[in-house]
Amino acid sequence: MTWASIDLNADLGEGFGRWMLTDDEELLSVVTSANVACGFHAGDAVTMRRVCERAAAGGVRIGAQVSYRDLAGFGRRSMDVPADELAAEVAYQIGALEVFARAAGSRVSYVKPHGALYNRVVRDEEQARAVVDGILLGSAGAGLPVLGLPGSRLHEAAAKAGLPVVTEAFGDRAYTADGSLLPRGQEGAVVTDPAEVVERSLTVARFGVVTSHCGRTVAVRARSLCLHGDTPGAVGLARRVRAQLEAAGVRVEAFA
């Protein structure tokens, strides 16, 4: 299954105070959806407000990128959080971002977990249900779409709760043979060769497949393509990917 169009998303607002990790302004000129850090793995009130204002001005959809409470580890450390606590913290993050999105004349259009939480809810049913409970609580029944890995427990829980699910693929991450992401601690987990990232992105968008780390072809039916904003040369790479997608006849447009 392939798509006539695909969404291009990136993680934005990943700074704190004077520390800035992502080139938000430039990336917002390329992507169609912005996964905005909500203060738990990165981001603060000023940063969230600024990103929401620029996203709204550029017609970019605003997504809440929710995370474990882990500023020191950038949300990439595995944590065991009780389900009721995780649900409340997910709702808290969505609510915080919604304030700034509404003030900018927009709204939170979807939710995407970040880092360790993203990988955890691929297989952990309890944590996946907790994230969905948090989305329902934080969106006051708005039915926000949930962006995540195809076939994940998160998407199963979201679908059972009546939330729209949006499948995602990564142009700059390596995959295992079962379609999950290769853990960042393993060699080759992050794809750094620009030509390879572009080729992988095109293959996902046009044919719905990706080559795994072990060389196996894996089906990845994705409506949205993620490029990480914290990788070196992220802006130039995002521009190159978008240009090549459009040259191949793939429309780049938001899913929400």
Side-chain angles (χ1 to χ4, degrees), residues 43-60:
D44 55 31
V46 172
T47 302
M48 285 191 282
R49 181 179 184 181
R50 181 176 63 248
V51 174
C52 285
E53 288 174 346
R54 291 177 178 174
V60 177

Side-chain angles (χ1 to χ4, degrees), residues 81-131:
V81 180
D84 58 344
E85 183 178 331
L86 179 58
E89 292 192 337
V90 166
Y92 179 93
Q93 292 174 79
I94 295 169
L97 188 64
E98 181 70 10
V99 168
F100 298 117
R102 292 284 183 179
S106 185
R107 61 186 176 85
V108 172
S109 296
Y110 65 95
V111 179
K112 173 185 173 178
H114 164 82
L117 181 58
Y118 186 98
N119 292 319
R120 181 74 171 266
V121 296
V122 170
R123 295 188 174 88
D124 191 316
E125 185 175 352
E126 181 184 42
Q127 294 279 279
R129 286 200 309 266
V131 170

Side-chain angles (χ1 to χ4, degrees), residues 215-247:
R216 178 180 174 183
T217 298
V218 180
V220 181
R221 297 176 177 88
R223 179 63 185 84
S224 185
L225 180 69
C226 178
L227 295 171
H228 285 89
D230 63 336
T231 55
V235 173
L237 182 58
R239 286 178 176 152
R240 184 172 170 182
V241 167
R242 177 160 185 164
Q244 290 298 313
L245 286 170
E246 292 175 335

